Amino acid sequence: MNCGMQHDHAERVEKVKFSMPSDEKISEMGARFKVISEPSRLKILLALAHGELCVDHITEAVGGNQSAVSHQLKILKDNKVIKSRRNGQNVLYTVSDWHVLTMINVAKEHLDCNE
C-alpha cells in the first residue's frame, strides 16, 4: 500500500498505537458511556450535578416514579458513578465520579454547536 506520505503516516500510526488504551480499558470506557447514556440515568446525573439529593427530590426533579428512579440509582451506584450516605432516615446521593459530569457538560455544549 502506498499512501504517498508513507513516512509521516507510519509515524502517526506508531503514535496512535502507543497511545491506544488496552482492550480492557476500551471496554471499561464503553461500559461507562453505556451507563450514563440511558436517558433517565442522564437526567439523574444532571440533577445531582447541582448537589446532594435524596430519592424523593431526585424523583421530583427528573419526573417519573420513585421505584424507577431507585432502580436507576442502584445501577449508577453499582457502576461507581454516584455514591450515597445515610442521614437519619434519608439516603442522600451525590456524584462520585466528577469526570462523568465533565463528559455530560461537553455533550451539552456540543448540542449548541452549529457545525
Side-chain angles (χ1 to χ4, degrees), residues 71-88:
H71 176 72
Q72 299 305 334
L73 287 168
K74 181 181 179 343
I75 292 170
L76 290 167
K77 190 173 176 186
D78 288 349
N79 284 278
K80 298 176 176 64
V81 178
I82 64 169
K83 59 186 176 183
S84 64
R85 70 178 181 88
R86 184 163 291 283
N87 184 18

Side-chain angles (χ1 to χ4, degrees), residues 27-89:
S27 291
E28 287 179 36
M29 290 166 56
R32 183 60 52 95
F33 281 122
K34 185 176 179 180
V35 167
I36 67 172
S37 69
E38 197 281 326
S40 59
R41 292 192 288 265
L42 190 53
K43 285 171 114 178
I44 290 169
L45 290 168
L46 288 166
L48 291 175
H50 296 277
E52 192 174 60
L53 293 169
C54 69
V55 69
D56 290 337
H57 291 145
I58 294 168
T59 301
E60 184 180 339
V62 303
N65 65 61
Q66 186 175 349
S67 74
V69 169
S70 293
H71 176 72
Q72 299 305 334
L73 287 168
K74 181 181 179 343
I75 292 170
L76 290 167
K77 190 173 176 186
D78 288 349
N79 284 278
K80 298 176 176 64
V81 178
I82 64 169
K83 59 186 176 183
S84 64
R85 70 178 181 88
R86 184 163 291 283
N87 184 18
Q89 292 183 354

